[in-house]
Amino acid sequence: METKKVWFVTGASKGLGLVLVKKLLANDYHVAATSRSVESLIKEIGNASDSFLPLEMDLTDNENVKATIAECIAHFGQIDVMVNNAGFGLIGTLEELSDSEVKTNFDVNVFGSLNVIRNILPHFRNQQSGHVFTISSIGGYMGNFPGFGIYCSTKFAVAGFTEALAEEMKPFNVHTTLVYPGYFRTNFLSKDSIRTAASPIAAYKSARELEKAHLDEINGNQPNDPEKAADVLITLSNEENPPVHFFMGKDAYHYAKQKLELIQHTMAAYETLAGSTEISNN
């Protein structure tokens, strides 16, 4: 009888992370779940057991991340699938957001994800197997949303290093999947989850309109079901050759196709000018 995989899921006390953990446990997987507050995990899911390990982890502290991963391995003996899910949204134009606000978003969304990857890879390399899921966003592929430039840039960064990671891990039989979700009906856009500029500038009307639309209209009306997203991630984890790039949701496909068409059109229109830079051998 095949032993169920051990999953390590960050940002698991709410949203997609929480839905995924509950789904995994219901399907008899072993799960280590992390959050900034272990009490929130215990409240939502329960106490530690043979199949579940709630862990308090500070993503921005590399040594704490290292110790947390070691605790998981000590409890379950291994890790087979890691889901880099933790992160938060930030709304504000480039001019509005302070250096501190920007750095905080990068510390969690980018450097926090790197801390987890850095400390789990030695384990995956040694066992010659594993699967890294990195949750980006459709905003990590298409960034033309006024007021979302910094958040999108964190997800572009995540996408960039995950593409490189996929190549680096091939010799070790470790799979890497970069997930670009569209809008899912979680609490991601709720006022206690997403952050907005501390010093907004009234002149940025389009950014304020998009901000208001996300907080007051899109929030609670997102078209995608996180329960189904969890099913998709489990399905991908069981594929022999899972994709490196995975757009999740019809809306994600819509936006991705828009950008692909724009790039193809622009490249075709400017191919002659772009190619004019080549050094001539004459």
Side-chain angles (χ1 to χ4, degrees), residues 14-81:
K14 58 185 178 181
L16 176 59
L18 178 59
V19 172
L20 175 61
V21 169
K22 288 182 175 180
K23 181 82 67 171
L24 289 167
L25 292 170
N27 284 277
D28 300 322
Y29 288 94
H30 291 171
V31 184
T34 79
S35 175
R36 288 173 296 173
S37 166
V38 73
E39 289 81 10
S40 63
L41 292 168
I42 293 171
K43 179 182 177 182
E44 290 286 352
I45 304 166
N47 293 308
S49 66
D50 291 340
S51 60
F52 176 61
L53 181 63
L55 295 165
E56 189 164 306
M57 186 174 78
D58 179 359
L59 275 175
T60 64
D61 184 335
N62 184 67
E63 291 304 311
N64 180 251
V65 172
K66 183 178 181 179
T68 303
I69 290 172
E71 189 175 347
C72 172
I73 294 171
H75 186 85
F76 290 120
Q78 66 190 68
I79 300 172
D80 300 295
V81 183

Side-chain angles (χ1 to χ4, degrees), residues 164-184:
L165 178 67
E167 294 301 315
E168 294 166 359
M169 288 297 101
K170 279 182 179 178
F172 308 106
N173 194 39
V174 175
H175 299 302
T176 304
T177 299
L178 177 60
V179 182
Y180 301 91
Y183 288 97
F184 278 79

Side-chain angles (χ1 to χ4, degrees), residues 144-158:
N144 61 340
F145 304 100
F148 286 81
I150 294 302
Y151 171 73
C152 287
S153 69
T154 68
K155 294 303 186 179
F156 266 78
V158 164

Side-chain angles (χ1 to χ4, degrees), residues 5 28 110 135 142 154 161 201 246 259:
K5 293 176 180 178
D28 300 322
V110 180
I135 308 299
M142 190 170 187
T154 68
F161 70 62
I201 299 170
F246 187 80
K259 181 168 183 176

Side-chain angles (χ1 to χ4, degrees), residues 75-149:
H75 186 85
F76 290 120
Q78 66 190 68
I79 300 172
D80 300 295
V81 183
M82 186 275 283
V83 182
N84 239 335
N85 170 69
F88 71 91
L90 177 65
I91 305 176
T93 67
L94 301 191
E95 182 184 355
E96 290 170 330
L97 292 171
S98 67
D99 183 63
S100 175
E101 288 171 303
V102 172
K103 284 181 177 177
T104 299
N105 206 207
F106 270 84
D107 281 344
V108 174
N109 291 8
V110 180
F111 297 111
S113 294
L114 283 171
N115 285 340
V116 180
I117 289 171
R118 183 183 301 115
N119 288 294
I120 211 161
L121 290 187
H123 176 69
F124 281 176
R125 283 192 295 102
N126 289 337
Q127 70 183 18
Q128 293 285 298
S129 67
H131 195 157
V132 175
F133 280 99
T134 300
I135 308 299
S136 178
S137 163
I138 187 56
Y141 186 76
M142 190 170 187
N144 61 340
F145 304 100
F148 286 81

